[in-house]
PDB file of all heavy atoms in Angstrom:
ATOM      1  N   LEU A 966       0.406  16.210  -6.830  1.00 87.00           N
ATOM      2  CA  LEU A 966      -0.380  17.342  -7.305  1.00 87.00           C
ATOM      3  C   LEU A 966      -1.451  16.888  -8.292  1.00 87.00           C
ATOM      4  O   LEU A 966      -2.549  17.451  -8.342  1.00 87.00           O
ATOM      5  CB  LEU A 966       0.539  18.372  -7.959  1.00 87.00           C
ATOM      6  CG  LEU A 966       1.417  19.172  -6.991  1.00 87.00           C
ATOM      7  CD1 LEU A 966       2.403  20.047  -7.770  1.00 87.00           C
ATOM      8  CD2 LEU A 966       0.572  20.031  -6.072  1.00 87.00           C
ATOM      9  N   ALA A 985     -10.004  24.458  -3.868  1.00 87.00           N
ATOM     10  CA  ALA A 985      -8.950  25.460  -4.010  1.00 87.00           C
ATOM     11  C   ALA A 985      -7.967  25.402  -2.849  1.00 87.00           C
ATOM     12  O   ALA A 985      -6.741  25.470  -3.038  1.00 87.00           O
ATOM     13  CB  ALA A 985      -9.578  26.851  -4.107  1.00 87.00           C
ATOM     14  N   ALA A 986      -8.495  25.251  -1.628  1.00 85.00           N
ATOM     15  CA  ALA A 986      -7.627  25.160  -0.456  1.00 85.00           C
ATOM     16  C   ALA A 986      -6.761  23.906  -0.519  1.00 85.00           C
ATOM     17  O   ALA A 986      -5.576  23.935  -0.158  1.00 85.00           O
ATOM     18  CB  ALA A 986      -8.474  25.157   0.819  1.00 85.00           C
ATOM     19  N   ALA A 987      -7.341  22.814  -0.984  1.00 84.00           N
ATOM     20  CA  ALA A 987      -6.592  21.569  -1.099  1.00 84.00           C
ATOM     21  C   ALA A 987      -5.434  21.716  -2.088  1.00 84.00           C
ATOM     22  O   ALA A 987      -4.329  21.212  -1.848  1.00 84.00           O
ATOM     23  CB  ALA A 987      -7.514  20.438  -1.531  1.00 84.00           C
ATOM     24  N   LEU A 988      -5.682  22.417  -3.185  1.00 87.00           N
ATOM     25  CA  LEU A 988      -4.628  22.629  -4.175  1.00 87.00           C
ATOM     26  C   LEU A 988      -3.466  23.419  -3.587  1.00 87.00           C
ATOM     27  O   LEU A 988      -2.292  23.098  -3.826  1.00 87.00           O
ATOM     28  CB  LEU A 988      -5.197  23.350  -5.391  1.00 87.00           C
ATOM     29  CG  LEU A 988      -6.042  22.506  -6.346  1.00 87.00           C
ATOM     30  CD1 LEU A 988      -6.744  23.397  -7.371  1.00 87.00           C
ATOM     31  CD2 LEU A 988      -5.173  21.470  -7.056  1.00 87.00           C
ATOM     32  N   VAL A 989      -3.775  24.448  -2.802  1.00 88.00           N
ATOM     33  CA  VAL A 989      -2.723  25.257  -2.189  1.00 88.00           C
ATOM     34  C   VAL A 989      -1.926  24.442  -1.179  1.00 88.00           C
ATOM     35  O   VAL A 989      -0.678  24.428  -1.193  1.00 88.00           O
ATOM     36  CB  VAL A 989      -3.329  26.503  -1.515  1.00 88.00           C
ATOM     37  CG1 VAL A 989      -2.253  27.254  -0.729  1.00 88.00           C
ATOM     38  CG2 VAL A 989      -3.951  27.418  -2.553  1.00 88.00           C
ATOM     39  N   LEU A 990      -2.629  23.743  -0.291  1.00 84.00           N
ATOM     40  CA  LEU A 990      -1.946  22.944   0.738  1.00 84.00           C
ATOM     41  C   LEU A 990      -1.144  21.811   0.119  1.00 84.00           C
ATOM     42  O   LEU A 990      -0.001  21.545   0.523  1.00 84.00           O
ATOM     43  CB  LEU A 990      -2.982  22.385   1.715  1.00 84.00           C
ATOM     44  CG  LEU A 990      -3.698  23.404   2.601  1.00 84.00           C
ATOM     45  CD1 LEU A 990      -4.805  22.726   3.404  1.00 84.00           C
ATOM     46  CD2 LEU A 990      -2.710  24.077   3.540  1.00 84.00           C
ATOM     47  N   ALA A 991      -1.728  21.147  -0.868  1.00 82.00           N
ATOM     48  CA  ALA A 991      -1.030  20.031  -1.506  1.00 82.00           C
ATOM     49  C   ALA A 991       0.193  20.515  -2.258  1.00 82.00           C
ATOM     50  O   ALA A 991       1.252  19.858  -2.247  1.00 82.00           O
ATOM     51  CB  ALA A 991      -1.981  19.303  -2.451  1.00 82.00           C
ATOM     52  N   GLY A 992       0.071  21.646  -2.908  1.00 81.00           N
ATOM     53  CA  GLY A 992       1.216  22.181  -3.629  1.00 81.00           C
ATOM     54  C   GLY A 992       2.369  22.484  -2.702  1.00 81.00           C
ATOM     55  O   GLY A 992       3.524  22.137  -2.991  1.00 81.00           O
ATOM     56  N   ALA A 993       2.085  23.103  -1.570  1.00 83.00           N
ATOM     57  CA  ALA A 993       3.140  23.440  -0.616  1.00 83.00           C
ATOM     58  C   ALA A 993       3.789  22.189  -0.034  1.00 83.00           C
ATOM     59  O   ALA A 993       5.021  22.074   0.032  1.00 83.00           O
ATOM     60  CB  ALA A 993       2.561  24.307   0.502  1.00 83.00           C
ATOM     61  N   ALA A 994       2.964  21.220   0.365  1.00 78.00           N
ATOM     62  CA  ALA A 994       3.499  20.013   0.997  1.00 78.00           C
ATOM     63  C   ALA A 994       4.267  19.140   0.018  1.00 78.00           C
ATOM     64  O   ALA A 994       5.337  18.606   0.333  1.00 78.00           O
ATOM     65  CB  ALA A 994       2.363  19.216   1.635  1.00 78.00           C
ATOM     66  N   SER A 995       3.743  18.995  -1.200  1.00 72.00           N
ATOM     67  CA  SER A 995       4.385  18.105  -2.163  1.00 72.00           C
ATOM     68  C   SER A 995       5.719  18.658  -2.646  1.00 72.00           C
ATOM     69  O   SER A 995       6.639  17.899  -2.947  1.00 72.00           O
ATOM     70  CB  SER A 995       3.455  17.876  -3.361  1.00 72.00           C
ATOM     71  OG  SER A 995       3.196  19.090  -4.036  1.00 72.00           O
ATOM     72  N   ALA A1015       1.130  14.167   4.059  1.00 79.00           N
ATOM     73  CA  ALA A1015       0.348  15.387   4.238  1.00 79.00           C
ATOM     74  C   ALA A1015      -0.603  15.609   3.055  1.00 79.00           C
ATOM     75  O   ALA A1015      -1.783  15.935   3.235  1.00 79.00           O
ATOM     76  CB  ALA A1015       1.282  16.582   4.395  1.00 79.00           C
ATOM     77  N   VAL A1016      -0.089  15.439   1.833  1.00 80.00           N
ATOM     78  CA  VAL A1016      -0.932  15.611   0.653  1.00 80.00           C
ATOM     79  C   VAL A1016      -2.014  14.544   0.622  1.00 80.00           C
ATOM     80  O   VAL A1016      -3.185  14.827   0.307  1.00 80.00           O
ATOM     81  CB  VAL A1016      -0.095  15.550  -0.638  1.00 80.00           C
ATOM     82  CG1 VAL A1016      -0.993  15.678  -1.865  1.00 80.00           C
ATOM     83  CG2 VAL A1016       0.940  16.662  -0.649  1.00 80.00           C
ATOM     84  N   VAL A1019      -4.900  15.441   2.850  1.00 82.00           N
ATOM     85  CA  VAL A1019      -5.763  16.444   2.228  1.00 82.00           C
ATOM     86  C   VAL A1019      -6.658  15.803   1.174  1.00 82.00           C
ATOM     87  O   VAL A1019      -7.874  16.036   1.116  1.00 82.00           O
ATOM     88  CB  VAL A1019      -4.921  17.569   1.602  1.00 82.00           C
ATOM     89  CG1 VAL A1019      -5.803  18.519   0.783  1.00 82.00           C
ATOM     90  CG2 VAL A1019      -4.174  18.342   2.687  1.00 82.00           C
TER      91      VAL A1019
END
Side-chain angles (χ1 to χ4, degrees):
L966 287 173
L988 284 170
V989 173
L990 292 174
S995 62
V1016 178
V1019 172

